[in-house]
Amino acid sequence: MIRRALNSLRTLVVLLVLAAVTPALILILYTASEQRGAAEDHVQAEALRFARIASAQQQRFIEGARQLLVALAKLPEVRLAHGEECTSAFADLLGAYPFYANLGVIDAKGMIFCSALPFNRPLSAAHRTYFQRALATREFAVGDYQIGNITRKATINFGQPVLDADGAAHAVVFAAMDLEWLNHLAAEANMPTGSSLTVIDRQGAVLVRYPESEGWVGRRVADEGFLRTVLAQGEGVTTARQPDGVEHLVAFTPLSQVPQAGYAYVSIGIPRETAFAHADKTLSRNLAGLGLVWVLALAAAWAGCDVFLLRRVNAIVAATRRLSAGDLTARTGLPSDDSELGQLAKAFDEMATSLQRQTAAVAHQATHDLLTQLPNRALLHDHLEQAVKLAQREQTTVALLMLDINLFKEINDTLSHRNGDLLLQQVGPRLRRALRESDLIARLGGDEFAVLLPGTDAEQAAVVAQKVLDVFQEPFELGDATVAVGAGIGIAVYPVHGDSADQIMQRADVAMYVAKEAGNEYFVYTAARDHYDPDRLTLISDLRRAIDNNQLFLQYQPKIDIHAGRTVGVEALLRWQHPDRGLVPPDTFIQLAEHAGLIKPLTLWVLTTALRQCRTWHDAGLSIPVAVNLSARSLQDPGLVDQVAAIIHHADVAPQALELEITESVVMADPQRALEILTRLHTMGVRMSVDDFGTGHSSLTYLKRLPVQSIKIDRSFVGPMVTNAGDAVIVRSIIELAHTLGFKVIAEGVETRETWDHLAQLGCNEAQGYYVSRPLAADALTTWLAESAWPVGPSTSDVQAKP
């Protein structure tokens, strides 16, 4: 609240007024400072003048004291040392000289034997400086300022030696001058009210104090700093606390200019308030006048600010707040005159109008696809959420169709992206022909579209999906070209397939991909076909860690030459020992790796591990080729050949030690690319075979074009061939045709002796299965090779080169 008030426009105007008055304030303060300085100089001059007057008067008193003592030294009472007569004469004489506190005589031993004032005990003055100087110099001597032993007053004592006929000093006549005369001088000087006169000695003891002299004599000054200044400078002006504790402006000077007179300092103190009274009065008067001017200016600024500034500024602020709160219709309503605020209001209104237009355009762009002008994914999600909430309240259903156009990539690649865009722009109007007005069509990106069907169940959604497919039967006109495309449609329904907008969208998307993969034109979501459930996602994360943390391992199953009875190779089989789930079936995690993009690092790990083990066997004297399965995604990787070459090089084995097994579906997914990759691998010396033959859609004639050396008959035919005549016919036909085309035939899934013998009769070259051996770890397989009835050796049909 305080910060807001300080930052207000009214406060700023007030501060400007204050800033305008500030020079005058500075001038007043400067003038007051100059006046104070002048007052201080005046006080200093007056105080020093008075102090010097007192010092000069003291000099006259000293001269008078000298003349008096010279005369007294000649008196017979003094010269003859008649104590009673001397005392009587000096007592009478003291009344005639009021400035003296006492008169007397000291004998040569320093004892006072004559005094104008009585004393009741023997007193010695031998330690007094004036006495010692008078005896030593036999001349007039001035003593220190002191407190008299007899008078108890502040005095300055003078001594004159009394000489006999031979010129020897046998006594000293003295006079004690009362410093009280300074009080009379101060009283006559008419000093300012509150002023004080103080005489101190070098120890800071007060000798004279005016006014109120009683009680001060003999006390030490309270301000030690003042005493140090006086002793250091001798004469000057300072600020100090006087013995009464009040701060004064003080001028000080030595009381006497005669060195032998000792040291005492007279100071004149004038209260600061008195010294600066005139300057302070002038300052107060000027400040009062300035304050009045400032108040009047402030009042005028305050009122004028409200009339001429704040009303217009507040209108602009109010419009700004409405605009920031989302009210794009906010305007100031102020006339756009030539003043600064008028121009500001005009600029704001123009900005608000432009912002309103831009926001509308941005809002449309944020919720609509720029190419087709259809709602985008964000707007579809919002509408789907609202439809789900409405369905919850009214106990109805909501259906969502996800649609992906077939052959769209080929259109882009063949007819250009511009024609692809023309196709996408025609989809919305065409879909609208098959839908209700209340149904929402959205483009999700690329060639994916969605249709929201409020109040529609799965059966009704299937009917709509068929209508959509029907309108796609009509060819699309793309400039000079006419194309016919189909679509794959996925269907998900609330609340059958999910209870939120996100779940419905995700599951419609899954259903669409199932439809595309299965070749169906539309597919209604089922959990059994959903490969994207949370548990599978967790397993994908675990698989990533398994590759990094070495939780994977290989087992090897021997391949036996049926006619030679020798082990001619092994197939490397990947296994995953999950720390929580145990042994995960390969069919499960291989499929996960395919979908999650992990098949490449998984394949490279298998190749590296298998060939490293192949090198280990070779070093042990066992020449055993290793077969590794290759996925469709791996065969589509243009870097596969270089990666295989690098792994073979690092393992230090011959390329012939590696056999890659590919399925018919892998080859037929992209025959041209498969032929290119396999040919490069064959040129390197890597051997290849077709795995699971008989389950795909290829023919031996097509496979003849590929650089493969053998085919493996799928276990689904081999296992039942002994009891199923149809399977036996299939196996016989595959073996005969394969041999005719120059392929070696390997049977997998051989589990009985009967199957083994039957394959031998049909001329099958090699076999693998539980009849021979289960898959074994590398160490176990090494032991098995040493102990089994099938020693390692070359095939009778195809001799393997040694690495």
Side-chain angles (χ1 to χ4, degrees):
M1 186 68 181
I2 295 176
R3 180 178 295 180
R4 179 181 176 186
L6 291 177
N7 292 331
S8 69
L9 182 60
R10 194 189 299 272
T11 301
L12 294 177
V13 172
V14 169
L15 291 176
L16 288 175
V17 173
L18 180 60
V21 176
T22 297
L25 176 62
I26 294 174
L27 179 61
I28 289 173
L29 294 177
Y30 175 76
T31 302
S33 175
E34 291 293 309
Q35 289 177 338
R36 274 177 164 255
E40 184 175 348
D41 293 341
H42 176 71
V43 168
Q44 176 181 357
E46 288 298 310
L48 284 176
R49 185 180 65 81
F50 181 83
R52 287 167 181 168
I53 289 173
S55 178
Q57 184 66 28
Q58 178 73 353
Q59 296 302 316
R60 289 192 294 271
F61 284 155
I62 292 174
E63 179 59 26
R66 187 186 68 78
Q67 294 176 6
L68 175 63
L69 291 181
V70 169
L72 290 178
K74 297 177 180 180
L75 292 176
E77 295 88 342
V78 174
R79 296 179 63 85
L80 298 176
H82 292 163
E84 292 182 0
E85 295 177 2
C86 176
T87 297
S88 177
F90 277 22
D92 295 337
L93 189 62
L94 185 63
Y97 292 93
F99 289 111
Y100 293 98
N102 195 12
L103 298 171
V105 183
I106 308 170
D107 63 21
K109 295 180 179 181
M111 299 303 294
I112 299 174
F113 69 89
C114 173
S115 172
L117 295 179
F119 56 96
N120 52 16
R121 61 184 178 83
L123 292 176
S124 174
H127 62 285
R128 299 295 191 181
T129 56
Y130 70 88
F131 171 74
Q132 296 172 356
R133 289 173 184 168
L135 287 181
T137 64
R138 292 186 300 171
E139 293 181 355
F140 177 76
V142 181
D144 294 332
Y145 294 94
Q146 62 188 39
I147 306 299
N149 289 330
I150 299 175
T151 63
R152 309 309 299 171
K153 291 182 178 181
T155 61
I156 181 172
N157 290 3
F158 311 103
Q160 176 67 36
V162 180
L163 305 177
D164 57 16
D166 296 329
H170 64 87
V172 173
V173 61
F174 72 89
M177 180 175 291
D178 190 353
L179 295 182
E180 185 68 20
W181 67 269
L182 289 169
N183 289 338
H184 298 293
L185 181 65
E188 294 173 357
N190 193 25
M191 293 191 300
T193 303
S195 300
S196 64
L197 178 145
T198 306
V199 178
I200 61 174
D201 62 13
R202 291 182 64 83
Q203 285 71 43
V206 177
L207 303 176
V208 176
R209 170 71 178 177
Y210 174 85
E212 302 175 359
S213 60
E214 294 297 329
W216 287 100
V217 176
R219 290 173 56 182
R220 185 174 177 82
V221 294
D223 194 336
E224 293 292 336
F226 169 69
L227 177 61
R228 289 192 295 271
T229 301
V230 170
L231 295 177
Q233 298 182 8
E235 182 177 280
V237 176
T238 187
T239 299
R241 292 191 180 277
Q242 291 295 283
D244 59 0
V246 178
E247 191 175 69
H248 284 57
L249 189 65
V250 182
F252 55 90
T253 190
L255 182 59
S256 173
Q257 301 298 324
V258 180
Q260 66 268 25
Y263 288 92
Y265 298 90
V266 58
S267 63
I268 307 299
I270 301 176
R272 293 178 61 87
E273 293 78 4
T274 302
F276 301 140
H278 177 72
D280 291 345
K281 184 177 180 180
T282 301
L283 175 63
S284 299
R285 183 174 62 251
N286 291 341
L287 288 177
L290 180 65
L292 178 61
V293 171
W294 184 80
V295 169
L296 293 176
L298 179 62
W302 192 275
C305 182
D306 185 63
V307 173
F308 299 107
L309 291 177
L310 290 183
R311 292 180 184 177
R312 304 176 76 180
V313 170
N314 287 337
I316 296 174
V317 171
T320 303
R321 287 176 176 168
R322 287 172 53 201
L323 185 65
S324 65
D327 183 3
L328 299 180
T329 63
R331 303 294 185 271
T332 63
L334 297 175
S336 57
D337 53 36
D338 293 333
S339 66
E340 287 84 353
L341 288 178
Q343 292 300 309
L344 178 61
K346 179 181 178 182
F348 175 85
D349 290 343
E350 291 175 349
M351 178 196 70
T353 301
S354 175
L355 183 61
Q356 186 176 15
R357 289 195 298 265
Q358 293 176 16
T359 301
V362 170
H364 181 81
Q365 293 176 6
T367 57
H368 288 75
D369 174 60
L370 296 181
L371 178 64
T372 64
Q373 296 303 310
L374 293 173
N376 61 12
R377 183 182 295 271
L379 186 57
L380 170 68
H381 188 274
D382 289 342
H383 279 262
L384 181 56
E385 280 191 331
Q386 296 302 319
V388 167
K389 291 178 181 178
L390 180 63
Q392 286 175 341
R393 289 195 302 268
E394 298 183 356
Q395 300 295 307
T396 58
T397 57
V398 177
L400 182 67
L401 274 59
M402 290 280 194
L403 181 148
D404 184 88
I405 299 174
N406 297 333
L407 303 177
F408 183 72
K409 181 178 184 302
E410 287 76 4
I411 292 173
N412 268 338
D413 294 342
T414 306
L415 301 180
S416 80
H417 286 274
R418 180 177 178 279
N419 283 311
D421 290 345
L422 289 176
L423 171 62
L424 296 175
Q425 289 172 336
Q426 296 179 48
V427 170
R430 188 166 295 195
L431 289 176
R432 177 56 60 194
R433 286 157 41 188
L435 302 174
R436 303 167 298 183
E437 278 298 321
S438 59
D439 299 333
L440 178 71
I441 305 171
R443 183 190 176 202
L444 307 184
D447 60 343
E448 290 188 16
F449 292 80
V451 177
L452 176 61
L453 304 172
T456 304
D457 59 21
E459 185 176 348
Q460 295 166 334
V463 173
V464 174
Q466 188 58 56
K467 290 182 179 179
V468 170
L469 294 172
D470 291 342
V471 299
F472 267 83
Q473 296 299 318
E474 179 183 342
F476 288 83
E477 299 293 335
L478 305 178
D480 296 334
T482 300
V483 297
V485 297
I489 301 175
I491 302 172
V493 178
Y494 169 85
V496 179
H497 302 135
D499 57 6
S500 68
D502 289 331
Q503 282 188 336
I504 296 301
M505 290 187 70
Q506 185 264 337
R507 287 170 180 176
D509 195 51
V510 168
M512 180 187 72
Y513 279 106
V514 172
K516 295 282 286 185
E517 291 174 358
N520 299 332
E521 294 182 326
Y522 69 84
F523 183 81
V524 179
Y525 174 84
T526 60
R529 300 294 296 274
D530 189 351
H531 301 304
Y532 303 92
D533 60 79
D535 184 64
R536 292 175 65 85
L537 294 177
T538 301
L539 202 59
I540 289 173
S541 299
D542 293 345
L543 181 57
R544 293 181 189 274
R545 287 191 291 271
I547 297 173
D548 296 333
N549 299 336
N550 211 24
Q551 294 175 1
L552 304 173
F553 65 94
L554 293 180
Q555 289 184 333
Y556 302 89
Q557 188 173 41
K559 293 194 293 183
I560 308 299
D561 185 314
I562 296 176
H563 302 287
R566 293 180 177 275
T567 303
V568 293
V570 294
E571 180 180 1
L573 301 171
L574 181 60
R575 300 291 184 262
W576 178 16
Q577 185 66 39
H578 192 281
D580 300 321
R581 301 170 185 255
L583 198 63
V584 181
D587 292 345
T588 300
F589 70 82
I590 294 297
Q591 188 180 36
L592 281 178
E594 290 276 4
H595 283 87
L598 296 175
I599 196 65
K600 178 176 179 178
L602 201 62
T603 300
L604 296 179
W605 185 91
V606 172
L607 286 169
T608 301
T609 305
L611 290 181
R612 189 182 298 127
Q613 181 59 47
C614 186
R615 181 73 232 180
T616 300
W617 282 326
H618 177 267
D619 293 341
L622 300 173
S623 180
I624 309 175
V626 178
V628 174
N629 288 282
L630 206 60
S631 71
R633 290 186 182 272
S634 297
L635 196 58
Q636 294 170 5
D637 182 1
L640 175 66
V641 177
D642 294 334
Q643 291 161 356
V644 170
I647 293 172
I648 291 173
H649 174 74
H650 287 300
D652 192 22
V653 297
Q656 293 79 8
L658 174 64
E659 181 178 358
L660 296 177
E661 296 186 359
I662 53 176
T663 63
E664 293 179 84
S665 58
V666 168
V667 175
M668 298 308 297
D670 191 343
Q672 188 61 37
R673 183 181 292 273
L675 179 60
E676 176 187 349
I677 298 294
L678 295 177
T679 300
R680 292 176 60 192
L681 290 170
H682 175 69
T683 302
M684 286 173 47
V686 176
R687 303 180 65 81
M688 280 157 284
S689 63
V690 176
D691 194 15
D692 300 335
F693 185 81
T695 60
H697 304 283
S698 64
S699 66
L700 285 171
T701 303
Y702 177 76
L703 293 179
K704 180 62 178 177
R705 298 170 52 193
L706 299 176
V708 297
Q709 288 75 44
S710 59
I711 63 172
K712 297 181 72 174
I713 305 175
D714 188 67
R715 66 179 63 248
S716 62
F717 302 114
V718 173
M721 64 177 290
V722 176
T723 58
N724 189 306
D727 289 328
V729 171
I730 293 174
V731 171
R732 179 185 300 110
S733 299
I734 293 175
I735 293 173
E736 291 176 353
L737 290 173
H739 285 167
T740 301
L741 295 175
F743 292 122
K744 179 173 63 178
V745 180
I746 305 168
E748 56 183 353
V750 179
E751 299 184 358
T752 65
R753 175 70 188 199
E754 189 177 3
T755 304
W756 174 277
D757 292 340
H758 199 167
L759 289 170
Q761 293 174 5
L762 295 176
C764 184
N765 302 98
E766 296 174 8
Q768 68 182 92
Y770 284 6
Y771 172 69
V772 176
S773 173
R774 290 177 176 272
L776 300 171
D779 292 342
L781 182 64
T782 303
T783 302
W784 182 89
L785 290 172
E787 299 175 353
S788 71
W790 289 287
V792 177
S795 171
T796 57
S797 59
D798 189 11
V799 177
Q800 174 71 36
K802 294 182 180 180

